[in-house]
C-alpha cells in the first residue's frame, strides 16, 4: 500500500479501503472455514486492522515488513497477492508456498513481505537481518517488524532491541498489543504495563498509541520513519488493540472465562472501519465496498479452481535434519 497521493480525501479512501479489505477477507475466511476447504488453522485480525493499515500506509514500496502468525492484516495492508493468499489457505499449488505452509507462513517478496512464522518472535531477527543489509548498503529503506505483546516476553526480542540500537539499524518495532497471549491477560503476565519504558532502556525511542486510531498510527509511523531514513536508528511503537475473535479459529470465545464482552463492546464502539467509512461520501464508499467484494470473490474462485500440488511435490522444499 504505497503512498501515491497524500491529499486528505485520498488518505481517507486508502485507509478505509485497507481496513475494509482486511475485515471482509477475514469474515469470508470465517464463513468458509467450517466447510474444511481451508487446510490450515487461521488466526484472525478482525478488530486489529488499524495497526497494519496505519503503519503500512506510511511506507514506501521498497520498504519491508515481517509479520506474526496472525499475519493476514500485515500481508494485505502491504499489498500482498490476494489470489495467492487464498490459494495458500486452500492448500493449492498456486499459493504463496505451494499450498504447503498455510495461513501462518504467508510470504510475498514481490511486495516486500518477508514472511510470517508460527513460532512466537522468530520473525523479529529476520527483519533485523534485512535492516542490517540495508544499513551496510547505505540504502534509505526501512524494515517494520510486527509482533504481539506475547513476543515481547521472548529473549530474542530483547536481543534484537539491543543489537538494533547498537548498530543503529533502520527497523521499526511494532507491538500489536491485543492484551492477551493466547488466553492469558497482561495483568497476569506483566508486573507493570510500562512496555515503552522497558524498551527505552535500550536507547530506543518508544511511543504508545492507546486508542487504535488509524490516522494517529499512520502519522506516528511517518514521523519515526522519517528520522530512521536519515540514520537515526531503530524506533518502537506499542499499539493497543483488541482481537474480536478467538485466539485461533473463526469463532468467538467469550464463554471461555478469560475475558468478557464489556471490553469487546468498548472497542467495537470505536470501530475504525465505521469511523473511516464515515469520512467518505456514500457513493465513494459503496464503490470501494463493491470493488472489495469483487476482489474477494475473484480470489476465492481462483483458489477453488486451482489444482492441489502434485504428489511428487510432497518433499520439495521440505527440510529435516
Amino acid at each position: 500500500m504505497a503512498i501515491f497521493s497524500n491529499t486528505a480525501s485520498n488518505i481517507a479512501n486508502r485507509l478505509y479501503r485497507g481496513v475494509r479489505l482486511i475485515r471482509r477477507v477475514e469474515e469470508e475466511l470465517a464463513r468458509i472455514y467450517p466447510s474444511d476447504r481451508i487446510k490450515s488453522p487461521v488466526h484472525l485480525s478482525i478488530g486489529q486492522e488499524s495497526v497494519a493499515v496505519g503503519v503500512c500506509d506510511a511506507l514506501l514500496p521498497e520498504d519491508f515488513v515481517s509479520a506474526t502468525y496472525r499475519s493476514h492484516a500485515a500481508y494485505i495492508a502491504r499489498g500482498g497477492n490476494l489470489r495467492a493468499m487464498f490459494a495458500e489457505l486452500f492448500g493449492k499449488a498456486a499459493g504463496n508456498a505451494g499450498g504447503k505452509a498455510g495461513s501462518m507462513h504467508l510470504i510475498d517478496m514481490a511486495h516486500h513481505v518477508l514472511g510470517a512464522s508460527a513460532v512466537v518472535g522468530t520473525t523479529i531477527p529476520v527483519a533485523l537481518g534485512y535492516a542490517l543489509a540495508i544499513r551496510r548498503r547505505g540504502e534509505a529503506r526501512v524494515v517494520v517488524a510486527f509482533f504481539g505483546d506475547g513476543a515481547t516476553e521472548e529473549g530474542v526480542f530483547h536481543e534484537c532491541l539491543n543489537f538494533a540500537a547498537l548498530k543503529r539499524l533502520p527497523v521499526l518495532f511494532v507491538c500489536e498489543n491485543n492484551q492477551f497471549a493466547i488466553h492469558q491477560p497482561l495483568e497476569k503476565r506483566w508486573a507493570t504495563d510500562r512496555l515503552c519504558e522497558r524498551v527505552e532502556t535500550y536507547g530506543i525511542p518508544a511511543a504508545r498509541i492507546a486508542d487504535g486510531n488509524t490516522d494517529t498510527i499512520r502519522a506516528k509511523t511517518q514521523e519515526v520513519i522519517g528520522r530512521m531514513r536519515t540514520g537515526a536508528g531503530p524506533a518502537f511503537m506499542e499499539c493497543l488493540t483488541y482481537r474480536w475473535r478467538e485466539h485461533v479459529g473463526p469463532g468467538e470465545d467469550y464463554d471461555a472465562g478469560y475475558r468478557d464482552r464489556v471490553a469487546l463492546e468498548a472497542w467495537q464502539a470505536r470501530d475504525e472501519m465505521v469511523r473511516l467509512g464515515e469520512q467518505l461520501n456514500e457513493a465513494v464508499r459503496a464503490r470501494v465496498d463493491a470493488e472489495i467484494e469483487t476482489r474477494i470473490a475473484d480470489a476465492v474462485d481462483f483458489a477453488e479452481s486451482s489444482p492441489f500440488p502434485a504428489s511428487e511435490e510432497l518433499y520439495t522444499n521440505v527440510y529435516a535434519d
Side-chain angles (χ1 to χ4, degrees):
M1 187 176 294
I3 299 172
F4 298 110
S5 174
N6 273 333
T7 63
S9 60
N10 282 329
I11 293 171
N13 189 316
R14 286 202 311 269
L15 297 183
Y16 173 72
R17 183 183 295 269
V19 169
R20 175 84 184 184
L21 178 60
I22 296 167
R23 176 75 57 86
R24 287 293 303 121
V25 163
E26 295 207 314
E27 288 176 342
E28 185 67 0
L29 294 177
R31 185 189 69 80
I32 295 171
Y33 197 83
S35 70
D36 201 35
R37 286 176 290 169
I38 293 174
K39 302 302 181 184
S40 74
V42 292
H43 298 72
L44 302 182
S45 296
I46 292 175
Q48 301 189 194
E49 303 93 341
S50 64
V51 182
V53 172
V55 169
C56 288
D57 196 77
L59 300 180
L60 296 176
E62 58 267 30
D63 296 327
F64 293 97
V65 304
S66 69
T68 74
Y69 53 75
R70 200 178 303 282
S71 62
H72 305 161
Y75 177 92
I76 295 169
R78 192 60 184 137
N81 186 310
L82 208 57
R83 281 184 162 192
M85 174 185 165
F86 271 87
E88 183 62 36
L89 270 62
F90 276 59
K92 299 298 183 70
N96 307 89
K100 296 180 181 178
S103 166
M104 292 189 283
H105 302 93
L106 294 179
I107 182 170
D108 187 344
M109 292 305 291
H111 293 92
H112 294 178
V113 180
L114 298 178
S117 170
V119 183
V120 173
T122 51
T123 53
I124 303 174
V126 175
L128 223 64
Y130 272 81
L132 178 61
I134 287 169
R135 172 85 175 176
R136 287 185 171 179
R137 292 170 183 159
E139 299 170 348
R141 296 193 287 180
V142 303
V143 184
V144 175
F146 288 101
F147 48 88
D149 45 295
T152 69
E153 298 154 21
E154 298 288 339
V156 69
F157 169 69
H158 297 273
E159 292 164 357
C160 288
L161 289 178
N162 184 60
F163 188 80
L166 184 67
K167 300 295 183 182
R168 301 182 70 79
L169 300 183
V171 57
L172 173 60
F173 299 96
V174 177
C175 176
E176 297 180 272
N177 186 349
N178 67 19
Q179 307 163 64
F180 294 95
I182 307 180
H183 297 156
Q184 197 72 343
L186 275 183
E187 58 268 23
K188 292 186 177 180
R189 296 159 32 223
W190 293 3
T192 79
D193 65 356
R194 299 195 295 274
L195 176 58
C196 287
E197 186 177 307
R198 294 195 285 277
V199 171
E200 286 170 341
T201 65
Y202 290 94
I204 296 176
R208 188 174 200 250
I209 299 169
D211 61 4
N213 184 286
T214 317
D215 298 290
T216 306
I217 293 169
R218 178 182 181 275
K220 190 63 184 179
T221 305
Q222 277 194 313
E223 175 193 328
V224 298
I225 282 182
R227 291 198 300 266
M228 204 177 291
R229 294 193 197 280
T230 65
F236 176 88
M237 288 170 48
E238 178 191 11
C239 301
L240 262 61
T241 186
Y242 200 80
R243 65 171 160 79
W244 296 6
R245 302 292 179 97
E246 59 191 328
H247 166 66
V248 54
E252 295 187 344
D253 60 357
Y254 293 93
D255 58 353
Y258 74 99
R259 62 176 181 170
D260 59 44
R261 285 190 172 274
V262 174
L264 169 70
E265 290 166 357
W267 281 92
Q268 287 181 326
R270 44 189 161 126
D271 184 358
E272 279 295 285
M273 190 180 76
V274 174
R275 187 189 69 81
L276 291 166
E278 289 173 347
Q279 295 178 18
L280 307 182
N281 73 50
E282 190 172 342
V284 171
R285 190 170 66 244
R287 186 170 65 247
V288 170
D289 292 352
E291 290 170 1
I292 286 172
E293 296 307 314
T294 299
R295 285 191 62 191
I296 293 172
D298 170 76
V300 173
D301 288 345
F302 176 78
E304 295 270 24
S305 60
S306 296
F308 285 105
S311 56
E312 56 265 31
E313 294 293 321
L314 188 60
Y315 296 107
T316 304
N317 298 324
V318 176
Y319 301 96
D321 292 330

